[in-house]
Amino acid sequence: MRVSKLLMPTLREVPAEAEIASHRLMLRAAMIRKLAAGVYSYLPLGIRTLQNVEKVVREEMDKAGAQELLMSALLPAEAYMKTGRWDIFGPGMFRLQDRNERDFCLGPTHEEIFTETVKNEVHSYKQLPLTLYQIQTKYRDERRPRFGVMRSREFVMKDAYSFDRTAEDLDKSYQAMYKAYCAIFDRLGLDYSIVDADSGAMGGSGSQEFMVKSEVGEDVIAFCDACGYAANEEKAVCIPQKKAFPSETKPMEKMETPDAHTIEQLTEFLGVEPYRFAKTLIYKIGEQYVAVMVRGDREVNPIKLQNLLGSAEEAELAEPFAVREITHAEVGFAGPVGLSVPVYADQEIMEMKQMVVGANETGYHFMYVEPGRDFQPTAVADLRTVVDGDICPKCGMPLKTAHGIEIGHIFKLGTKYSKALDLTFPDDAGEEQPVIMGCYGIGINRCIAAIIEQNNDENGIIWPMSIAPYKVEIVVVNAGDAEQIQLAEKLYASFGEKGIAVLFDDRDERPGVKFKDADLIGIPLRITVGKKAKDGLVEFKERKKDGFTEMSYTEAEEEAMRIIGGSLK
Ligand code: ATP
Ligand code: MG
């Protein structure tokens, strides 16, 4: 492709709305343009990259024995109503009605539709195991669309679904996808970690996420360098930490603590460390209100609470009016003593002695409270969020935490969807059994953003060869020079004949402009044809390396073919 003909409106200015490198660079390198919050158009360099990622994903899915099909994005409501997700998705789902007032949604994920397809089209259990996939556009009305295509409201997902008769068969299907995902992310040049993930809300038995460690990631992962344990924050097992508590046992005592609503204010007022307090927070989960207790220096993990309660609904902090009604006090004075709602205590609470808790009375706290003596929790569980330095549940060494971008997710679903939608097969005794399912997703656009986060410098993107929109860029220094143009044209034609995606900056622009653009759009190899064209010499440069090498144009071509060949294997 000739740059003179290419729709490549690169931007010199850093777009104000873009907070992170990948978003800035995708805009500046003329890959995407914003249409609305979380909705983007792809320009030529963007769509070529997207298609290259899809190609890698498709090849590895096919290799793993998955079969590609394509479902509509416009989906009738019925199946989602049967599984309950019509309600569960809430405002996250784009809904619409047709002219006959029939309900539809724009598919946020396709478990229901694949389950129904298999129910309708697979007539013998001998056709199982079966793994189906699609690469298709998803719609989610995200609460906070941001960071460009990293979290958008329309995005392309590769979603796969496996159908098996036994749990052992599901293990095999799951492992095949696990392997395929590793192959995909390796080929995409991503540095990633595989972490244990929460599977509660979706009703499954096991799940792992593929995470790219990055400051801008919205997930938090805990990992252990000593043994390799890695888990999403929602899944990370927290081991109670020992702390020093007073040895004498005083009776509970009410204390006036005016204007102390927060742990910080209380700490100051009473002059003791935050870990001596127990926070009691009122959560709303569905229609139910519950209290959750964690040590004063800890945070509640709402997903752990949701899983403990086995709820499909997310746990949210209760509104102030509800807190007032439940505790008979202003927000900040809740405590477990005499509370009417169920009290769920984090494990560490039970190891505390002589703690301070809210008195359920504005302006008062109880001192010297003992769990078991002064209150009895409804249940005790791991309800807190993991922190740096927590003890690894596998080997006992300290854990670290880091932000991560979730690029893929594999999930043992079990029978949730097959039961709800009546997808069964006859077992040996002729009894109908639900099919056992798995689901596997990769965010195609998010992968591109993650790749850019990991591969950029102050000048622009540095594409890995596998997904670069073009593999080689030929830059002619002076487009008015006959010898330069002739040699550049020759190289351009030659790469074209070899089937290499080649870009030719033939514009009549200052060389500086062309080099700036070349660095910005990040084509892995650059061959510059300048003054020495008359001697058949060119400059060969790899985007990821500093400096260039002067060589004959034939050598440059060979070198390019060697690098491309090697990296595309
Ligand atoms: P997240 O927690 O980031 O919202 P999710 O758990 O909702 O992701 P899944 O439903 O498992 O994601 O979707 C599979 C994959 O699709 C994710 O691993 C991610 O790569 C991608 N994905 C999900 N939501 C978005 C989005 N809003 N924009 C871009 N990609 C997304
Ligand atoms: Mg999501």
Side-chain angles (χ1 to χ4, degrees), residues 108-109 140 142 149-158 209-210 218-219 406-409 441-447:
T109 171
R140 295 182 184 180
E142 296 278 358
V149 301
M150 189 87 86
R151 181 172 300 285
S152 49
R153 298 197 292 171
E154 181 192 69
F155 60 98
V156 180
M157 198 201 286
K158 185 288 300 171
E209 284 166 351
F210 290 72
E218 292 182 288
D219 285 274
E406 178 195 324
I407 46 172
H409 194 178
I442 292 180
I444 303 284
N445 331 56
R446 190 180 284 181
C447 279

Side-chain angles (χ1 to χ4, degrees), residues 1-10 44-45 48 469-470 472-476 478-482 484-497 500-509 514 517 521 523 529:
M1 184 73 201
R2 289 168 193 277
V3 176
S4 59
K5 301 256 162 37
L6 180 62
L7 180 62
M8 191 183 90
T10 53
L45 288 179
R48 286 183 70 93
Y470 293 93
V472 189
E473 177 167 1
I474 297 161
V475 177
V476 65
N478 180 356
D481 181 301
Q484 290 186 25
I485 276 288
Q486 207 183 359
L487 183 58
E489 288 282 359
K490 191 166 165 177
L491 273 169
Y492 177 51
S494 176
F495 279 114
E497 276 158 25
I500 301 298
V502 55
L503 193 62
F504 175 20
D505 198 342
D506 58 342
R507 288 177 298 174
D508 189 11
E509 282 278 4
K514 296 195 235 187
D517 272 347
I521 67 172
I523 308 305
V529 182

Side-chain angles (χ1 to χ4, degrees), residues 203 349 384 389 397 473 492 558:
I349 293 289
R384 72 173 170 95
M397 296 299 281
E473 177 167 1
Y492 177 51
E558 276 163 25

